[in-house]
Amino acid sequence: MNGTAPQPLLSVRDLRMHFPGRRARSAPVRAVDGVSFDVAAGETLGLVGESGCGKSTTGRMIVRLLEPTSGTIAYEGQDISRLSRRELRPVRKDLQMVFQDPHSSLNPRQTVARVIADPLLAHGSSESAARTRAAELMDLVGLIPEHMDRYPHEFSGGQAQRIGIARALALDPKLVVADEPVSALDVSVQAQIVNLMERLQKELGLAYLFIAHDLSVVKRVCDRVAVMYLGRVVEIGAKERVYAAPAHPYTQALLSAVPLPDPAAERTRERITLLGDPPSPAAPPPGCAFHPRCGRAQAVCRTEAPVLRAVATGERREVACHFPGAEPAASRMGG
């Protein structure tokens, strides 16, 4: 019996996206600055962090809506990061995306049938076959197929997101990048969409890259969690370990802001409040990017950038911190 680990469905290594500065000769904006992670077949990896940390940019590079500055994106062992549009065409069927705002991501001039059928038509399906498949997909995501000839504005936000999910599933993908798929929806509707995505994953064997800032939703749907700060992954590991014993001070601060279901525990627990705002990705600080806001920063943190390494021997969790796991100092981080 071969003891080697199976090849991941998706493998991202040292991925970077640097946008030109707004002015001539100004420093580039390092939106993503060396991200690495794997996604296994059928797995859900959550990608979390503050707004502007590079989560959505990472997701868009993976499906090649943005061209990476450098790094590799390997799908089933093939580097797709530099494929031409023609070479990428067969792979696009396996990599699809669900966007944050359901209405703005749907063409308002097209009927729902056409919105869902467009990917099929682009890959050679006939009009009749594409329409039949669109009706099947509407039923699969909990919509009435008889409403296929309506327009997106005639649907609620939750229904519109179901349409976006149906479109993403049209070509039978293996990996779906879900970019904040429930953040624009009401709380009650969020639960319905999360339930739908979980059911579809079980039925279709999907893998998800689930991009979100709501850590309670991530805890519900994800197998592993990757925490991003200023364009880099600072902690990654199994959901249970990251939530139970966060090792990076930034992860600790994020989790301390998640409300607890027990009111008594919520009143008595210590909340970590980070001082200051995240640095600009156009001028990141030297050393560890988090050190200006960190209560345990020491001299090495200001000069040497930490790399992801295992928290403990044998534990499949990595953290980019020179002093992982220590309690944050209340004098710097608040209480």
Side-chain angles (χ1 to χ4, degrees):
M1 184 174 177
N2 192 343
T4 60
Q7 175 180 276
L9 182 68
L10 178 76
S11 184
V12 174
R13 291 292 177 270
D14 203 26
L15 195 62
R16 300 173 189 270
M17 183 73 237
H18 296 177
F19 294 101
R22 294 184 177 181
R23 301 177 182 176
R25 299 182 182 179
S26 61
V29 176
R30 300 178 183 181
V32 178
D33 201 25
V35 164
S36 300
F37 58 79
D38 294 335
V39 181
E43 178 189 35
T44 300
L45 174 67
L47 197 58
V48 304
E50 293 171 293
S51 296
C53 71
K55 308 184 301 292
S56 294
T57 301
T58 299
R60 289 170 182 264
M61 282 192 287
I62 287 170
V63 297
R64 289 288 303 276
L65 292 179
L66 290 174
E67 297 299 320
T69 302
S70 63
T72 61
I73 305 164
Y75 173 72
E76 292 188 329
Q78 177 190 12
D79 184 5
I80 65 170
S81 57
R82 295 294 179 267
L83 295 183
S84 66
R85 290 175 65 103
R86 181 177 179 182
E87 293 170 329
L88 191 62
R89 188 179 178 85
V91 183
R92 282 200 184 279
K93 297 200 302 186
D94 286 350
L95 303 173
Q96 293 295 313
M97 190 161 188
V98 175
F99 297 91
Q100 177 178 2
D101 187 339
H103 279 114
S104 67
S105 66
L106 304 176
N107 190 332
R109 298 186 178 185
Q110 291 184 342
T111 64
V112 169
R114 183 60 188 236
V115 166
I116 298 174
D118 256 352
L120 295 158
L121 297 171
H123 283 266
S125 290
S126 66
E127 291 274 357
S128 60
R131 184 175 177 85
T132 299
R133 177 61 174 155
E136 294 172 353
L137 288 164
M138 286 194 70
D139 183 62
L140 181 66
V141 300
L143 295 174
I144 302 174
E146 288 75 11
H147 293 169
M148 283 177 30
D149 293 318
R150 294 185 178 183
Y151 289 86
H153 74 270
E154 299 179 69
F155 294 84
S156 67
Q159 291 172 324
Q161 193 60 290
R162 290 174 187 265
I163 296 168
I165 292 170
R167 177 180 59 185
L169 298 179
L171 297 171
D172 297 318
K174 296 180 181 178
L175 173 70
V176 173
V177 176
D179 185 11
E180 301 269 12
V182 298
S183 64
L185 307 176
D186 293 339
V187 174
S188 60
V189 179
Q190 287 182 9
Q192 296 172 17
I193 297 300
V194 167
N195 290 338
L196 171 64
M197 294 183 68
E198 289 183 320
R199 175 174 65 81
L200 293 171
Q201 183 174 41
K202 293 176 182 177
E203 293 179 2
L204 305 176
L206 297 170
Y208 290 132
L209 178 64
F210 196 95
I211 299 169
H213 65 269
D214 188 335
L215 291 171
S216 59
V217 173
V218 170
K219 185 177 183 180
R220 158 83 184 272
V221 304
C222 296
D223 302 302
R224 291 189 302 126
V225 180
V227 181
M228 285 189 68
Y229 182 80
L230 205 67
R232 298 180 181 180
V233 173
V234 296
E235 185 165 358
I236 183 169
K239 168 184 65 180
E240 294 80 9
R241 293 298 299 150
V242 171
Y243 277 76
H248 196 282
Y250 178 63
T251 310
Q252 293 172 350
L254 287 181
L255 290 175
S256 78
V258 179
L260 296 176
D262 182 354
E266 175 67 20
R267 285 193 299 268
T268 58
R269 73 164 174 169
E270 180 181 4
R271 177 161 295 179
I272 302 167
T273 303
L274 297 176
L275 300 179
D277 296 319
S280 168
C288 174
F290 188 65
H291 85 256
R293 308 173 76 190
C294 181
R296 71 178 73 145
Q298 299 184 28
V300 66
C301 305
R302 299 177 179 89
T303 58
E304 183 179 333
V307 297
L308 281 170
R309 61 179 183 270
V311 175
T313 303
E315 183 174 349
R316 294 186 60 188
R317 180 165 56 124
E318 296 177 313
V319 61
C321 181
H322 293 298
F323 306 99
E327 287 297 323
S331 60
R332 283 286 303 278
M333 304 183 76

Coordinates of all heavy atoms in Angstrom, one line a residue, residues 244-320:
A244 N -9.8 26.3 18.1 CA -9.6 26.0 19.5 C -8.4 26.6 20.1 O -8.4 27.0 21.3 CB -9.6 24.4 19.7
A245 N -7.3 26.7 19.3 CA -6.0 27.2 19.9 C -5.3 28.0 18.8 O -4.3 27.5 18.3 CB -5.2 26.0 20.3
P246 N -5.8 29.2 18.4 CA -5.1 30.0 17.4 C -3.7 30.3 17.9 O -3.5 30.7 19.0 CB -6.0 31.2 17.3 CG -6.7 31.3 18.6 CD -7.0 29.9 19.0
A247 N -2.8 30.2 16.9 CA -1.4 30.4 17.3 C -0.9 31.8 16.9 O 0.1 32.3 17.5 CB -0.5 29.3 16.6
H248 N -1.4 32.4 15.9 CA -1.0 33.7 15.4 C -1.8 34.8 16.2 O -3.0 34.7 16.3 CB -1.1 33.9 13.9 CG -0.4 35.0 13.3 ND1 -0.8 36.3 13.4 CD2 0.8 35.0 12.6 CE1 0.1 37.1 12.8 NE2 1.1 36.3 12.4
P249 N -1.1 35.9 16.6 CA -1.9 36.9 17.3 C -3.0 37.6 16.5 O -4.0 38.0 17.1 CB -0.8 37.9 17.7 CG 0.4 37.6 16.8 CD 0.3 36.2 16.5
Y250 N -2.8 37.6 15.2 CA -3.9 38.1 14.3 C -5.1 37.2 14.3 O -6.2 37.7 14.4 CB -3.4 38.4 12.9 CG -4.4 38.9 12.0 CD1 -5.0 40.1 12.2 CD2 -4.8 38.1 10.9 CE1 -6.0 40.6 11.3 CE2 -5.8 38.6 10.0 CZ -6.4 39.8 10.2 OH -7.3 40.3 9.3
T251 N -4.9 35.9 14.2 CA -5.9 34.9 14.3 C -6.7 35.0 15.6 O -7.9 35.0 15.7 CB -5.4 33.5 14.1 OG1 -4.6 33.5 12.9 CG2 -6.6 32.5 13.9
Q252 N -5.9 35.2 16.7 CA -6.5 35.3 18.0 C -7.4 36.5 18.1 O -8.5 36.5 18.7 CB -5.4 35.4 19.1 CG -4.6 34.2 19.3 CD -3.4 34.4 20.2 OE1 -3.1 35.5 20.5 NE2 -2.7 33.3 20.6
A253 N -7.0 37.6 17.5 CA -7.8 38.9 17.5 C -9.1 38.7 16.7 O -10.2 39.1 17.1 CB -7.0 40.0 17.0
L254 N -9.0 38.0 15.5 CA -10.2 37.8 14.7 C -11.2 36.9 15.4 O -12.4 37.2 15.5 CB -9.8 37.1 13.4 CG -9.0 37.9 12.3 CD1 -8.7 37.0 11.1 CD2 -9.8 39.1 11.9
L255 N -10.7 35.9 16.1 CA -11.6 34.9 16.7 C -12.2 35.6 18.0 O -13.3 35.2 18.4 CB -10.9 33.6 17.1 CG -10.5 32.8 15.9 CD1 -9.7 31.6 16.3 CD2 -11.8 32.3 15.2
S256 N -11.5 36.5 18.6 CA -12.1 37.1 19.8 C -13.2 38.0 19.5 O -14.0 38.4 20.4 CB -11.0 37.9 20.5 OG -10.8 39.2 19.9
A257 N -13.4 38.4 18.2 CA -14.5 39.2 17.8 C -15.8 38.5 17.4 O -16.8 39.1 17.2 CB -14.1 40.1 16.7
V258 N -15.7 37.1 17.4 CA -16.8 36.3 17.0 C -17.7 36.2 18.2 O -17.3 35.7 19.3 CB -16.4 34.9 16.5 CG1 -17.6 34.1 16.2 CG2 -15.5 35.1 15.3
P259 N -19.0 36.6 18.1 CA -19.9 36.5 19.3 C -20.1 35.0 19.8 O -20.1 34.1 18.9 CB -21.2 37.0 18.8 CG -20.8 37.8 17.6 CD -19.6 37.2 17.0
L260 N -20.1 34.8 21.1 CA -20.4 33.5 21.6 C -21.9 33.3 21.9 O -22.6 34.2 22.2 CB -19.6 33.3 23.0 CG -18.1 33.4 22.9 CD1 -17.6 33.3 24.3 CD2 -17.6 32.3 22.1
P261 N -22.4 32.1 21.7 CA -23.8 31.8 21.8 C -24.3 31.9 23.3 O -25.4 32.1 23.6 CB -24.0 30.4 21.3 CG -22.7 29.8 21.4 CD -21.7 30.9 21.2
D262 N -23.3 31.8 24.2 CA -23.6 31.9 25.7 C -23.5 33.3 26.1 O -22.4 33.8 26.2 CB -22.7 30.9 26.4 CG -23.0 30.9 27.9 OD1 -23.9 31.7 28.4 OD2 -22.4 30.1 28.7
P263 N -24.6 34.0 26.5 CA -24.5 35.4 26.9 C -23.5 35.6 28.1 O -22.8 36.6 28.1 CB -25.9 35.8 27.3 CG -26.7 34.8 26.5 CD -26.0 33.5 26.5
A264 N -23.5 34.7 29.1 CA -22.7 34.8 30.2 C -21.2 34.8 29.8 O -20.3 35.6 30.3 CB -23.0 33.8 31.3
A265 N -20.9 33.8 29.0 CA -19.5 33.7 28.5 C -19.1 34.9 27.7 O -17.9 35.3 27.7 CB -19.3 32.4 27.7
E266 N -20.0 35.4 26.9 CA -19.8 36.6 26.0 C -19.4 37.8 26.9 O -18.5 38.6 26.5 CB -21.0 36.8 25.1 CG -20.8 38.1 24.3 CD -19.8 38.0 23.2 OE1 -19.4 36.9 22.9 OE2 -19.4 39.0 22.7
R267 N -20.1 37.9 28.0 CA -19.8 39.1 28.9 C -18.5 39.0 29.6 O -17.9 40.1 29.9 CB -21.0 39.3 29.9 CG -22.3 39.8 29.4 CD -23.2 40.2 30.5 NE -23.6 39.0 31.3 CZ -24.6 38.2 31.2 NH1 -25.4 38.5 30.1 NH2 -24.8 37.2 32.0
T268 N -18.1 37.9 29.9 CA -16.9 37.7 30.7 C -15.6 37.5 30.0 O -14.5 37.6 30.5 CB -17.0 36.6 31.7 OG1 -17.3 35.3 31.0 CG2 -18.2 36.8 32.7
R269 N -15.7 37.1 28.7 CA -14.4 36.8 28.0 C -13.6 38.0 27.6 O -14.2 39.1 27.5 CB -14.7 36.0 26.7 CG -15.3 36.8 25.6 CD -15.2 36.1 24.3 NE -16.0 36.8 23.3 CZ -15.9 36.4 22.0 NH1 -15.1 35.4 21.6 NH2 -16.5 37.1 21.1
E270 N -12.4 37.9 27.4 CA -11.5 39.0 27.0 C -11.5 39.1 25.5 O -11.4 38.2 24.8 CB -10.0 38.7 27.5 CG -9.1 39.8 27.1 CD -7.6 39.5 27.5 OE1 -7.4 38.4 28.0 OE2 -6.8 40.3 27.3
R271 N -11.7 40.3 25.1 CA -11.7 40.6 23.7 C -10.4 41.3 23.3 O -10.0 42.3 24.0 CB -12.9 41.5 23.3 CG -12.9 41.9 21.8 CD -14.3 42.3 21.4 NE -15.2 41.2 21.4 CZ -16.5 41.3 21.1 NH1 -17.0 42.4 20.7 NH2 -17.3 40.2 21.2
I272 N -9.8 40.9 22.2 CA -8.5 41.5 21.8 C -8.8 42.6 20.7 O -9.4 42.3 19.7 CB -7.6 40.4 21.1 CG1 -7.4 39.3 22.2 CG2 -6.3 41.1 20.7 CD1 -6.7 38.1 21.5
T273 N -8.5 43.8 21.0 CA -8.7 44.9 20.1 C -7.3 45.4 19.6 O -6.5 45.8 20.3 CB -9.4 46.1 20.8 OG1 -10.6 45.7 21.4 CG2 -9.6 47.2 19.9
L274 N -7.2 45.2 18.3 CA -5.9 45.6 17.6 C -5.9 47.1 17.5 O -6.9 47.8 17.2 CB -5.8 45.0 16.2 CG -5.8 43.5 16.2 CD1 -5.8 43.0 14.7 CD2 -4.6 42.9 16.9
L275 N -4.7 47.7 17.8 CA -4.5 49.1 17.7 C -4.1 49.5 16.3 O -3.4 48.8 15.6 CB -3.4 49.6 18.6 CG -3.7 49.3 20.1 CD1 -2.5 49.7 21.0 CD2 -5.0 50.0 20.6
G276 N -4.6 50.6 15.8 CA -4.2 51.1 14.5 C -4.9 50.3 13.3 O -5.7 49.4 13.5
D277 N -4.6 50.8 12.1 CA -5.1 50.2 10.9 C -4.1 49.3 10.2 O -2.9 49.5 10.5 CB -5.6 51.3 10.0 CG -6.7 52.1 10.5 OD1 -7.6 51.5 11.2 OD2 -6.7 53.4 10.4
P278 N -4.5 48.4 9.4 CA -3.5 47.6 8.6 C -2.6 48.5 7.8 O -3.1 49.5 7.3 CB -4.4 46.7 7.7 CG -5.7 46.7 8.4 CD -5.9 48.0 9.1
P279 N -1.4 48.2 7.7 CA -0.5 49.0 6.8 C -0.9 49.0 5.4 O -1.7 48.1 5.0 CB 0.9 48.4 7.0 CG 0.8 47.5 8.2 CD -0.7 47.1 8.3
S280 N -0.5 49.9 4.6 CA -0.8 50.0 3.2 C 0.0 48.9 2.4 O 1.2 48.7 2.7 CB -0.4 51.3 2.6 OG -0.4 51.3 1.1
P281 N -0.7 48.1 1.5 CA 0.0 47.1 0.8 C 1.0 47.7 -0.2 O 1.8 47.0 -0.8 CB -1.1 46.4 0.0 CG -2.3 47.3 0.0 CD -2.2 48.1 1.3
A282 N 0.9 49.0 -0.4 CA 1.9 49.7 -1.2 C 3.2 50.0 -0.5 O 4.2 50.3 -1.0 CB 1.4 51.0 -1.8
A283 N 3.1 50.0 0.9 CA 4.3 50.3 1.7 C 4.2 49.4 2.9 O 4.1 49.9 4.1 CB 4.3 51.7 2.1
P284 N 4.3 48.0 2.8 CA 4.3 47.2 3.9 C 5.5 47.4 4.8 O 6.6 47.7 4.3 CB 4.3 45.8 3.3 CG 5.0 46.0 1.9 CD 4.6 47.3 1.5
P285 N 5.3 47.2 6.1 CA 6.5 47.4 7.0 C 7.5 46.3 6.8 O 7.2 45.2 6.3 CB 5.8 47.3 8.4 CG 4.6 46.4 8.2 CD 4.1 46.8 6.8
P286 N 8.8 46.6 7.2 CA 9.8 45.5 7.1 C 9.6 44.4 8.1 O 8.8 44.6 9.1 CB 11.1 46.3 7.4 CG 10.6 47.4 8.3 CD 9.3 47.8 7.8
G287 N 10.2 43.3 7.9 CA 10.0 42.2 8.8 C 8.6 41.6 8.7 O 8.0 41.5 7.7
C288 N 8.0 41.3 9.9 CA 6.7 40.7 9.9 C 5.7 41.9 9.7 O 5.8 42.9 10.4 CB 6.4 40.1 11.3 SG 4.7 39.6 11.5
A289 N 4.8 41.7 8.7 CA 3.9 42.8 8.4 C 2.9 43.1 9.5 O 2.4 44.2 9.6 CB 3.1 42.4 7.2
F290 N 2.8 42.2 10.5 CA 1.8 42.4 11.6 C 2.5 43.1 12.8 O 1.8 43.5 13.7 CB 1.2 41.1 12.0 CG 0.1 41.2 13.0 CD1 -1.1 41.8 12.7 CD2 0.2 40.7 14.3 CE1 -2.1 41.9 13.6 CE2 -0.8 40.8 15.2 CZ -2.0 41.4 14.9
H291 N 3.8 43.3 12.8 CA 4.5 43.7 14.0 C 4.0 45.1 14.5 O 4.0 45.3 15.8 CB 6.0 43.6 13.9 CG 6.6 44.8 13.2 ND1 7.1 44.9 11.9 CD2 6.9 46.1 13.7 CE1 7.6 46.0 11.7 NE2 7.5 46.8 12.7
P292 N 3.6 46.1 13.7 CA 3.2 47.3 14.3 C 1.9 47.2 15.1 O 1.6 48.1 15.9 CB 2.9 48.2 13.0 CG 3.7 47.6 11.9 CD 3.7 46.1 12.2
R293 N 1.2 46.1 15.0 CA -0.1 46.0 15.7 C 0.0 44.8 16.7 O -1.0 44.5 17.4 CB -1.2 45.7 14.7 CG -1.3 46.7 13.6 CD -2.4 46.3 12.6 NE -3.7 46.6 13.1 CZ -4.8 46.1 12.4 NH1 -4.7 45.4 11.3 NH2 -6.0 46.4 12.9
C294 N 1.2 44.3 16.9 CA 1.3 43.0 17.7 C 1.8 43.3 19.1 O 2.8 44.0 19.2 CB 2.2 42.1 16.9 SG 2.4 40.5 17.8
G295 N 1.2 42.7 20.1 CA 1.6 42.9 21.5 C 2.8 42.1 21.9 O 3.3 42.3 23.0
R296 N 3.2 41.1 21.1 CA 4.4 40.3 21.4 C 5.6 40.6 20.5 O 6.5 39.8 20.5 CB 4.0 38.8 21.4 CG 3.8 38.3 20.0 CD 3.4 36.8 20.1 NE 2.1 36.6 20.6 CZ 1.3 35.6 20.1 NH1 1.7 34.8 19.2 NH2 0.0 35.5 20.6
A297 N 5.5 41.6 19.7 CA 6.6 41.9 18.7 C 7.9 42.1 19.5 O 8.0 42.8 20.5 CB 6.2 43.0 17.8
Q298 N 9.0 41.6 18.9 CA 10.4 41.8 19.4 C 11.2 42.3 18.3 O 10.8 42.4 17.2 CB 10.9 40.6 20.1 CG 10.0 40.1 21.3 CD 10.6 38.9 22.1 OE1 11.8 38.7 22.1 NE2 9.7 38.2 22.7
A299 N 12.5 42.5 18.6 CA 13.4 43.0 17.6 C 13.4 42.2 16.3 O 13.4 42.8 15.2 CB 14.8 43.1 18.2
V300 N 13.4 40.9 16.4 CA 13.5 40.1 15.2 C 12.3 40.3 14.3 O 12.3 40.2 13.1 CB 13.7 38.6 15.5 CG1 12.4 38.1 16.3 CG2 14.0 37.8 14.3
C301 N 11.1 40.6 14.9 CA 9.9 40.8 14.1 C 10.0 42.0 13.2 O 9.3 42.1 12.2 CB 8.7 40.9 15.1 SG 8.5 39.5 16.3
R302 N 10.8 43.0 13.6 CA 10.9 44.2 12.9 C 11.9 44.1 11.7 O 11.9 45.0 10.9 CB 11.3 45.4 13.8 CG 10.3 45.6 14.9 CD 10.7 46.7 15.9 NE 9.7 46.9 16.9 CZ 9.7 46.3 18.1 NH1 10.7 45.4 18.3 NH2 8.8 46.5 19.0
T303 N 12.6 43.1 11.7 CA 13.7 43.0 10.6 C 13.5 41.7 9.8 O 14.0 41.7 8.6 CB 15.1 43.0 11.3 OG1 15.2 41.9 12.2 CG2 15.3 44.3 12.0
E304 N 12.9 40.6 10.3 CA 12.9 39.4 9.6 C 11.5 38.9 9.4 O 10.8 38.7 10.4 CB 13.7 38.3 10.4 CG 13.8 37.0 9.7 CD 14.7 36.0 10.4 OE1 15.6 36.4 11.2 OE2 14.4 34.8 10.3
A305 N 11.1 38.7 8.2 CA 9.7 38.2 7.9 C 9.6 36.7 8.2 O 10.4 35.9 7.7 CB 9.4 38.4 6.4
P306 N 8.7 36.3 9.1 CA 8.5 34.9 9.4 C 8.0 34.1 8.3 O 7.2 34.6 7.4 CB 7.6 34.9 10.6 CG 6.7 36.1 10.4 CD 7.7 37.1 9.7
V307 N 8.3 32.8 8.2 CA 7.7 31.9 7.2 C 6.8 30.9 7.8 O 6.9 30.7 9.0 CB 8.9 31.2 6.4 CG1 9.8 32.1 5.7 CG2 9.7 30.3 7.4
L308 N 5.9 30.4 7.0 CA 5.0 29.4 7.6 C 5.8 28.1 8.0 O 6.6 27.6 7.2 CB 4.0 29.0 6.5 CG 2.8 29.9 6.3 CD1 2.0 29.5 5.0 CD2 1.9 30.0 7.5
R309 N 5.5 27.7 9.2 CA 6.2 26.5 9.7 C 5.2 25.8 10.7 O 4.3 26.4 11.2 CB 7.5 26.7 10.3 CG 7.5 27.6 11.6 CD 8.9 27.8 12.2 NE 8.8 28.6 13.4 CZ 9.0 29.9 13.4 NH1 9.1 30.6 12.3 NH2 9.0 30.6 14.6
A310 N 5.4 24.5 10.9 CA 4.5 23.7 11.7 C 4.5 24.3 13.1 O 5.5 24.6 13.7 CB 4.9 22.3 11.7
V311 N 3.3 24.3 13.7 CA 3.2 24.8 15.1 C 3.8 23.9 16.1 O 4.5 24.3 17.0 CB 1.7 25.0 15.4 CG1 1.5 25.4 16.9 CG2 1.1 26.1 14.5
A312 N 3.6 22.6 15.8 CA 4.2 21.5 16.7 C 4.5 20.3 15.8 O 3.9 20.1 14.8 CB 3.3 21.2 17.8
T313 N 5.4 19.5 16.3 CA 5.8 18.3 15.6 C 4.6 17.4 15.3 O 3.8 17.1 16.3 CB 6.9 17.5 16.3 OG1 8.0 18.3 16.6 CG2 7.3 16.3 15.6
G314 N 4.4 17.0 14.1 CA 3.3 16.1 13.8 C 1.9 16.8 13.6 O 1.0 16.1 13.2
E315 N 1.8 18.1 13.8 CA 0.6 18.8 13.7 C 0.5 19.4 12.3 O 1.4 20.1 11.9 CB 0.4 19.9 14.7 CG -0.9 20.6 14.6 CD -1.2 21.6 15.8 OE1 -0.4 21.6 16.7 OE2 -2.1 22.4 15.7
R316 N -0.6 19.2 11.6 CA -0.8 19.7 10.2 C -1.4 21.1 10.3 O -2.5 21.4 9.8 CB -1.6 18.8 9.4 CG -1.0 17.4 9.2 CD -1.8 16.6 8.2 NE -2.0 17.2 6.9 CZ -2.8 16.8 6.0 NH1 -3.5 15.7 6.2 NH2 -2.9 17.4 4.8
R317 N -0.6 22.0 11.0 CA -1.0 23.4 11.1 C 0.2 24.2 11.0 O 1.2 23.9 11.7 CB -1.8 23.7 12.3 CG -2.2 25.1 12.4 CD -3.3 25.3 13.5 NE -2.9 24.8 14.8 CZ -2.9 25.6 15.9 NH1 -3.3 26.8 15.8 NH2 -2.6 25.1 17.0
E318 N 0.2 25.3 10.2 CA 1.4 26.1 10.1 C 1.1 27.5 10.4 O -0.1 28.0 10.2 CB 1.9 26.0 8.7 CG 2.4 24.6 8.2 CD 2.8 24.6 6.8 OE1 2.1 25.1 5.9 OE2 3.9 24.1 6.5
V319 N 2.0 28.2 11.0 CA 1.9 29.6 11.4 C 3.1 30.4 11.0 O 4.2 29.9 11.1 CB 1.6 29.8 12.9 CG1 2.7 29.2 13.7 CG2 1.3 31.2 13.3
A320 N 2.9 31.6 10.5 CA 4.0 32.5 10.2 C 4.2 33.5 11.3 O 3.6 34.6 11.2 CB 3.8 33.2 8.8

